[in-house]
Amino acid sequence: MLISLAPRRALLALLLAGTPSLAAAQPRAVTSQSPADLIVTNARVYTADDTRPLVEAFAVRGGRIVFTGSAREAATLTGAATQVVDAGGRTVIPGMVDGHAHFVGLAQKLRSVDLVGTRSYDEVIARVVDRAKTTPAGSWIVGRGWDQNAWGNTAFPTHEALSAAVPNHPVILDRVDGHAALANAAAMRLAGLTAATKDPSGGKILRDAKGAPTGVLIDRASGLVENKVPAPSREELRAALKDAVARMHSLGLVGMHDAGASRESIELFEDMAATRELNLRLYVMIGDNAEALQHYFALGPRNALYDGQLWVRAVKLYADGAMGSRGAALLEPYSDDPNNSGLLLSAPAHIQEVAERGLAAGFQVNTHAIGDRGNRVVLDAYERAFAQVPRADHRFRVEHAQILHQDDIPRFAQLGVIPSMQASHQTSDMYWIGKRLGPTRLYGAYAWQSLLKTGVVIPNGSDFPVEDVNPLISFHASIARQDARAWPAGGWYPEQRMSREDALRSMTLWPAYAGFQEQLMGSIAPGKYADFVMLDQDIMRIPADLVLQTRVLSTWLAGKLVYTASQ
């Protein structure tokens, strides 16, 4: 396997050497002396390209980088129509890519009740009441972002207070991780949810002492109510997706890996790409739906569609739930819930079967696994699939890989499996994760450095809308393992921190590698898309506690300005 035995630096060298556009380009040479369309000069450019990691200028022609090097050399490519951008000494980095997020989820969240940051159940209810004032009676109210772990009382809420405050609207509120939801009485009535309703496979209905639903629905149980919410029209969703793209651009994101999309959503993405409305490097994972998988496997992998706006060549599966709702599958019970070891959302045989089909069809398979049992189940299923359908350079992934047994950490490199992780989850979870796991299992929690030392790469992300869209939150978490208040002093298990160089790669070159895109993007290097971001601070040199104060000044896609900050 490509990753299996090579140390990480050797892998990066191989990645660069194996890329024709990079191998053929000398750091100081240009492919042609004809004028550039765009020259960025007087900058501190962190290229994420090991052949030339720091330069002061680069040139763009036809949407691609044609030169990186000195300002003097770049100036020789100036023509009458060349746009010259003097960065004034500012920092420029490659356009950032979120390696695991939810496109439609962000679009919907921007138009729903935002519950992120609520400090009590009363505050959640107050925000819903405010929305109800402007929502016709009988219409659904949808929200997302509550987290009982941030409240004084960390027990799951029950619906009674919400139902009393908002009796005339059906309400469904997703927990921050998307793996639990709270429904009010009106919503449960519309869904026919009663004490007689059985738990669905892969889900749990929380109940009171009499067996009546409390309103909290874990994992696939939330679908019992959410399936009753009217879907937005195609045009409503299209407009919301455009808003989501604008939000990403404003924070320096030029692309994302969409972790599980329906066929209907993918077809809308493709329609937007065809009409040049997408304006994003979108790497799509097909959701686990039998008909959708059959359709896309028959089409085969599709790469860089519509001038590099869309890739459809991956599948998203689910092994378990999430830590916050105690749905992540653990090898031993939860320390704070000794009768519970979490939930498996897919049978191991199903993961293996889809993995084998993916290998045969040339598709990458990426499986959500958070708990140590969930991760082991996925690695075991992948290993069996690789034995049945051997394929080099498959780049299969485990999405999240948050809690790992020590025995499983080296297996990622041995199997050529990529741990796709989200650094901001660590800083969100560190306040309470010890209660869930106890002290011993924490040594395998968010174990970035332990994994990196085995030779793998870690594409970083946010899992938005679970976490905030801002990619610099994950950059800061990667290098500091601290929250915005610099807590805890020295970082949470600081031996697992990333270097700044690796943190930058984790948001640029490594997501590109994880999406088979490294020949086209991920670094500022000749031959690649001219996707880059200008920042007002040097995140590679400033104190870690200033990173979160950094502003994106401009974002560029294929050499075109897609966002500029207001003065």
Side-chain angles (χ1 to χ4, degrees):
M1 303 300 175
L2 182 63
I3 305 178
S4 58
L5 299 178
R8 192 168 78 261
R9 293 293 178 188
L11 170 60
L12 290 170
L14 179 63
L15 194 158
L16 292 169
T19 303
S21 59
L22 297 185
Q26 298 300 317
R28 290 184 174 273
V30 295
T31 56
S32 168
Q33 288 296 321
S34 57
D37 301 325
L38 170 70
I39 292 174
V40 176
T41 188
N42 189 21
R44 190 170 179 86
V45 185
Y46 294 95
T47 66
D49 174 12
D50 276 357
T51 66
R52 198 76 187 274
L54 184 64
V55 300
E56 63 178 351
F58 59 92
V60 177
R61 187 186 306 115
R64 301 211 183 203
I65 304 292
V66 295
F67 170 79
T68 62
S70 71
R72 183 172 183 174
E73 291 170 291
T76 66
L77 297 174
T78 305
T82 302
Q83 178 185 6
V84 178
V85 174
D86 185 331
R90 300 291 194 187
T91 294
V92 174
I93 62 173
M96 292 180 283
V97 173
D98 195 306
H100 178 111
H102 301 276
F103 193 15
V104 171
L106 175 61
Q108 293 174 335
K109 181 183 177 182
L110 292 176
R111 300 192 174 195
S112 65
V113 182
D114 184 5
L115 304 175
V116 173
T118 48
R119 307 303 295 179
S120 68
Y121 187 24
D122 287 342
E123 188 177 351
V124 168
I125 293 171
R127 293 191 188 187
V128 176
V129 168
D130 282 345
R131 179 60 63 90
K133 293 175 183 177
T134 58
T135 303
S139 298
W140 281 84
I141 295 176
V142 176
R144 179 161 184 162
W146 61 270
D147 182 1
Q148 83 284 2
N149 293 309
W151 304 344
N153 179 1
T154 60
F156 275 121
T158 59
H159 76 86
E160 286 83 4
L162 177 63
S163 297
V166 191
N168 299 319
H169 298 79
V171 178
I172 183 74
L173 308 175
D174 279 343
R175 192 180 180 279
V176 65
D177 58 11
H179 286 266
L182 172 65
N184 73 345
M188 289 190 283
R189 280 196 301 272
L190 285 175
L193 187 60
T194 68
T197 305
K198 297 183 182 301
D199 289 350
S201 175
K204 180 186 292 186
I205 302 167
L206 298 194
R207 305 173 190 270
D208 62 21
K210 296 181 179 178
T214 66
V216 173
L217 309 166
I218 306 297
D219 285 306
R220 288 189 172 146
S222 63
L224 298 172
V225 174
E226 289 176 341
N227 289 339
K228 301 297 181 181
V229 180
S233 71
R234 186 178 176 89
E235 289 312 307
E236 287 172 337
L237 182 55
R238 189 189 208 101
L241 290 169
K242 290 181 183 179
D243 291 343
V245 171
R247 176 66 174 158
M248 285 186 254
H249 287 166
S250 74
L251 293 166
L253 287 169
V254 300
M256 62 167 289
H257 294 199
D258 190 359
S262 67
R263 179 175 173 180
E264 292 76 15
S265 294
I266 297 171
E267 289 175 347
L268 177 55
F269 302 159
E270 185 165 354
D271 183 43
M272 292 176 67
T275 55
R276 299 300 186 268
E277 296 174 272
L278 189 57
N279 217 20
L280 193 70
R281 311 287 183 206
L282 183 60
Y283 186 82
V284 178
M285 306 176 205
I286 307 155
D288 187 8
N289 173 274
E291 292 182 0
L293 293 182
Q294 182 177 0
H295 172 77
Y296 287 107
F297 283 171
L299 286 178
R302 304 168 75 211
N303 298 301
L305 303 176
Y306 308 102
D307 295 328
Q309 292 185 84
L310 184 65
W311 285 253
V312 186
R313 54 153 308 131
V315 175
K316 170 69 180 303
L317 305 179
Y318 282 87
D320 64 354
M323 291 301 304
S325 52
R326 297 186 185 86
L330 301 180
L331 294 168
E332 301 292 338
Y334 282 87
S335 295
D336 58 355
D337 189 0
N339 294 317
N340 178 19
S341 296
L343 295 167
L344 284 179
L345 302 186
S346 297
H350 175 68
I351 297 172
Q352 180 181 344
E353 184 261 336
V354 175
E356 291 179 9
R357 291 174 60 202
L359 289 164
F363 276 71
Q364 181 188 60
V365 175
N366 307 329
T367 306
H368 165 118
I370 289 180
D372 52 11
R373 179 164 59 116
N375 277 274
R376 181 168 292 179
V377 162
V378 176
L379 292 173
D380 288 347
Y382 283 177
E383 186 168 16
R384 291 190 296 269
F386 298 152
Q388 292 297 316
V389 188
R391 188 181 184 95
D393 199 23
H394 51 75
R395 304 192 200 183
F396 276 26
R397 292 161 47 170
V398 173
E399 304 299 316
H400 308 306
Q402 286 178 207
I403 315 301
L404 301 174
H405 190 281
Q406 293 295 323
D407 292 347
D408 291 320
I409 289 175
R411 296 181 67 198
F412 286 84
Q414 292 163 2
L415 295 172
V417 172
I418 298 170
S420 170
M421 305 176 76
Q422 299 74 49
S424 54
H425 283 338
Q426 177 266 308
T427 47
S428 291
D429 297 355
M430 63 183 176
Y431 309 106
W432 48 264
I433 193 69
K435 296 179 181 178
R436 294 281 194 275
L437 298 175
T440 303
R441 287 183 286 193
L442 291 181
Y443 289 103
Y446 318 92
W448 311 323
Q449 199 56 235
S450 295
L451 284 161
L452 290 172
K453 287 177 180 177
T454 69
V456 299
V457 298
I458 299 177
N460 209 334
S462 69
D463 200 13
F464 68 64
V466 175
E467 303 283 358
D468 191 276
V469 185
N470 185 359
L472 293 182
I473 295 174
S474 282
F475 181 89
H476 174 261
S478 297
I479 65 172
R481 290 175 75 96
Q482 294 175 312
D483 64 16
R485 301 183 301 276
W487 186 92
W492 190 84
Y493 291 83
E495 67 276 8
Q496 295 293 347
R497 289 179 298 201
M498 292 187 193
S499 69
R500 295 197 191 213
E501 292 75 18
D502 281 349
L504 180 63
R505 292 187 189 98
S506 79
M507 310 179 77
T508 55
L509 187 60
W510 291 350
Y513 177 78
F516 298 86
Q517 301 163 316
E518 72 275 11
Q519 294 190 22
L520 296 173
M521 55 191 289
S523 59
I524 297 175
K528 294 195 176 185
Y529 294 134
D531 301 341
F532 60 93
V533 176
M534 189 179 298
L535 305 173
D536 72 343
Q537 297 193 92
D538 186 344
I539 61 172
M540 304 301 285
R541 296 195 296 177
I542 60 174
D545 59 0
L546 295 181
V547 167
L548 295 179
Q549 299 177 29
T550 301
R551 294 175 63 236
V552 171
L553 298 177
S554 59
T555 303
W556 303 69
L557 191 75
K560 303 295 184 182
L561 184 66
V562 294
Y563 168 78
T564 185
S566 58
Q567 299 299 321

